[in-house]
Amino acid sequence: MKILKFGGTSLASAQRIINAAHLVDGNSNNLVVLSAMSGITNTLSDIYLDLLNGRSEKASDQISKINLHFNETAYQLFEKSDYLHIALEEINSSFIEIKAFNETTRIKELLSYGEIITARLFSHYLNSIGRKNTLIDALDFMILNDDGEPDMEAISQRIKKHIDPRLKNHLYITQGFICRDKNGKISNLKRGGSDYTATIIGAAILAENITIWTDIDGLHNNDPRYVSDTKAITDLNFDEAAELAYFGAKILHPSSIRPARDKNIPVLLKNTLDPEAAGTLISENKVVKGIKAIAAKDGIQIIRIQSGRMLMAHGFLKRVFSVFDHFKVPVDVITTSEVSVSITIENNSMINAIIFELQKLGDVELIENCSIISAVGSNISINPKVLAPLFSCLSLIQPRMISLGGSRNNITIVLDSDKKISALNLLNESIFRSHHEVLLNNPD
Ligand code: ASP
Ligand code: MG
């Protein structure tokens, strides 16, 4: 079985849905994971806020807008075929439910409609062109455990019940993103979670490979929004891809590499707008020397705790981390000196309470509006030839924290967000356009 995942931009219009459907080959068993048409999840989340804040008129305007968008898409997909009637009926009944929502509605329930309606349209479209398929409802098998993480065992058992091993070249369709929590309530895998659905399913059924279809030709070696002439990377190993996804490469959900790595299932990133382009293959490939890519993640806060008492005191870090543990806040980057420790977290609404607790351990300074820049590549942190071009531009980058050696595959710089763009460009110049690559290919 092959897994194919189409993101929202690849399903943004009837024409894009048609193009995506034609990318699914008929010569193997395929399971297609679908996001909501682009913009729908955002609009549903705006509607939720409008309902919550008593702006019911604005909410119903927005509801009508997406209702119309789905109806128009159905007209364009099915024209006069029998499926038009079925699709319009289904859309209509979903919107009767959506219109009945009010300020007590759970946001996760509201958000689920984007994927639910989009998957039905896709499935009907394939039927309408003679491609028989089975629509499996993700809410029937995608479930979370007590920790709110996907329950791999249960997912694997449940999804297998929907797959008929006797069928050859069959096509299955399911929704990305949506799932149920341990109490059976509708939940989701966080924004952008359809990638994660695809790799979870891939691991659950030991798929041959997983292709993530998106609107860019793979993972780039720097952020194309801020740096010109970035290049798609053709090969990455799982560790490199996981670091890049976590530290800012927007193209992949941060957790999505883990299930594929656990079961060694290759993940291919491809561009629906340029299907011939090679894309990026993420697999257990051989290690290539040098920095493969640079990525940045915004919305970071640095918390610096300084304590005279820390000097030689054992157990200090344990107490610091128990505060973050108590608030269930993940920590990204840490640097320490003899008397202080700096820690980064993603912007957190509990920050005042966290600081209050930390102040019991020492003086606390909060530095906001920071970004993390990561340089990623296999074993880079122990390769002097890699470090030279990176360190040569550090003084111009003005970092607040640097972390090297935590992972062999990642060198991390934390800096003020307003210095991020110039830092990305400086690093690009120094690493990818300098003699760095020549050096790497000529040992000594
Ligand atoms: N529709 C969801 C979102 O916009 C999930 C996804 O697209 O992956 O976040
Ligand atoms: Mg996405």
Side-chain angles (χ1 to χ4, degrees):
M1 181 85 76
K2 294 179 185 162
I3 313 285
L4 291 88
K5 178 257 169 176
F6 292 99
T9 44
S10 305
L11 306 166
S13 62
Q15 191 54 52
R16 294 245 178 125
I17 291 177
I18 293 169
N19 294 349
H22 285 93
L23 287 168
V24 186
D25 78 77
N27 309 321
S28 53
N29 285 318
N30 288 303
L31 191 152
V32 178
V33 176
L34 299 167
S35 294
M37 291 181 81
S38 103
I40 298 293
T41 312
N42 284 344
T43 311
L44 288 168
S45 115
D46 291 346
I47 292 168
Y48 170 77
L49 290 178
D50 288 336
L51 289 173
L52 194 68
N53 294 306
R55 297 185 293 259
S56 48
E57 212 165 298
K58 189 152 169 268
S60 64
D61 283 355
Q62 297 275 76
I63 293 172
S64 306
K65 205 176 93 191
I66 52 171
N67 192 347
L68 185 68
H69 183 53
F70 278 126
N71 282 350
E72 281 173 356
T73 307
Y75 277 108
Q76 287 158 8
L77 283 176
F78 306 117
E79 293 178 349
K80 290 193 178 63
S81 93
D82 293 347
Y83 289 96
L84 177 62
H85 182 66
I86 305 171
L88 289 176
E89 287 261 286
E90 284 175 353
I91 295 170
N92 190 37
S93 63
S94 290
F95 276 89
I96 289 173
E97 289 163 18
I98 295 173
K99 282 174 192 156
F101 284 156
N102 59 31
E103 69 283 359
T104 64
T105 298
R106 292 173 58 253
I107 181 164
K108 289 174 176 171
E109 199 162 322
L110 185 51
L111 293 189
S112 68
Y113 283 87
E115 268 69 14
I116 290 174
I117 301 172
T118 305
R120 284 185 189 142
L121 286 174
F122 197 89
S123 167
H124 291 321
Y125 175 71
L126 280 165
N127 279 323
S128 77
I129 59 167
R131 299 275 312 265
K132 289 271 157 292
N133 62 86
T134 308
L135 178 59
I136 313 175
D137 193 345
L139 299 178
D140 287 344
F141 68 86
M142 191 56 87
I143 47 174
L144 304 179
N145 61 21
D146 291 350
D147 298 325
E149 296 292 328
D151 186 336
M152 291 302 293
E153 236 350 272
I155 292 169
S156 173
Q157 280 174 14
R158 288 184 182 208
I159 193 167
K160 283 179 187 152
K161 290 191 189 133
H162 294 273
I163 292 172
D164 185 344
R166 292 164 306 182
L167 294 177
K168 288 271 166 295
N169 301 339
H170 195 63
L171 181 54
Y172 299 88
I173 293 174
T174 193
Q175 308 91 354
F177 180 57
I178 61 174
C179 59
R180 285 189 193 275
D181 66 17
K182 64 174 174 129
N183 300 316
K185 292 214 165 98
I186 294 183
S187 185
N188 62 54
L189 299 174
K190 305 208 175 79
R191 294 302 307 271
S194 300
D195 299 333
Y196 198 18
T197 306
T199 57
I200 292 167
I201 296 177
I205 61 170
L206 297 178
E208 227 171 284
N209 55 38
I210 301 159
T211 306
I212 309 244
W213 286 96
T214 168
D215 59 347
I216 178 166
D217 52 349
L219 257 160
H220 276 224
N221 64 353
N222 205 328
D223 195 322
R225 289 169 301 176
Y226 308 118
V227 177
S228 56
D229 79 2
T230 62
K231 288 191 219 94
I233 312 164
T234 47
D235 274 289
L236 280 171
N237 64 37
F238 288 119
D239 290 336
E240 294 165 335
E243 303 255 19
L244 282 172
Y246 187 72
F247 284 113
K250 286 279 172 300
I251 167 170
L252 270 181
H253 182 283
S255 310
S256 56
I257 295 301
R258 200 177 348 115
R261 176 176 52 192
D262 289 349
K263 298 282 193 267
N264 192 11
I265 299 169
V267 178
L268 186 59
L269 308 179
K270 294 275 284 176
N271 186 357
T272 21
L273 306 175
D274 184 8
E276 298 307 316
T280 300
L281 176 65
I282 301 166
S283 62
E284 217 177 41
N285 60 7
K286 67 178 170 42
V287 169
V288 179
K289 280 188 258 175
I291 295 175
K292 295 251 185 91
I294 298 165
K297 176 171 167 180
D298 295 329
I300 300 296
Q301 298 173 314
I302 301 177
I303 304 169
R304 184 169 294 151
I305 307 127
Q306 183 145 6
S307 169
R309 280 172 290 148
M310 183 180 174
L311 197 66
M312 314 284 283
H314 99 284
F316 177 77
L317 285 178
K318 183 177 172 202
R319 269 174 278 152
V320 168
F321 286 114
S322 68
V323 173
F324 292 95
D325 185 42
H326 173 78
F327 289 100
K328 292 196 165 48
V329 174
V331 164
D332 283 335
V333 186
I334 309 160
T335 56
T336 60
S337 79
E338 197 67 35
V339 289
S340 64
V341 52
S342 293
I343 285 170
T344 71
I345 60 171
E346 285 181 32
N347 285 350
N348 194 293
S349 58
M350 302 294 284
I351 190 69
N352 288 336
I354 295 171
I355 289 177
F356 180 79
E357 288 303 317
L358 290 171
Q359 276 167 339
K360 295 177 185 164
L361 305 173
D363 295 333
V364 180
E365 185 190 354
L366 173 69
I367 306 164
E368 296 191 275
N369 303 320
C370 290
S371 298
I372 294 176
I373 293 186
S374 296
V376 172
S378 294
N379 294 333
I380 54 173
S381 73
I382 50 169
N383 185 339
K385 286 177 181 161
V386 170
L387 301 180
L390 193 127
F391 280 110
S392 70
C393 58
L394 270 191
S395 60
L396 297 168
I397 288 177
Q398 296 177 268
R400 285 189 179 271
M401 291 165 64
I402 301 172
S403 168
L404 172 101
S407 141
R408 285 173 159 225
N409 305 327
N410 188 346
I411 299 169
T412 307
I413 298 164
V414 187
L415 75 178
D416 293 334
S417 293
D418 59 6
K419 301 201 176 75
K420 178 190 72 178
I421 296 180
S422 79
L424 287 174
N425 280 285
L426 277 165
L427 287 164
N428 206 55
E429 186 65 43
S430 184
I431 293 167
F432 299 123
R433 280 192 225 136
S434 68
H435 56 295
H436 168 64
E437 290 176 33
V438 179
L439 265 180
L440 282 168
N441 292 328
N442 295 293
D444 311 314

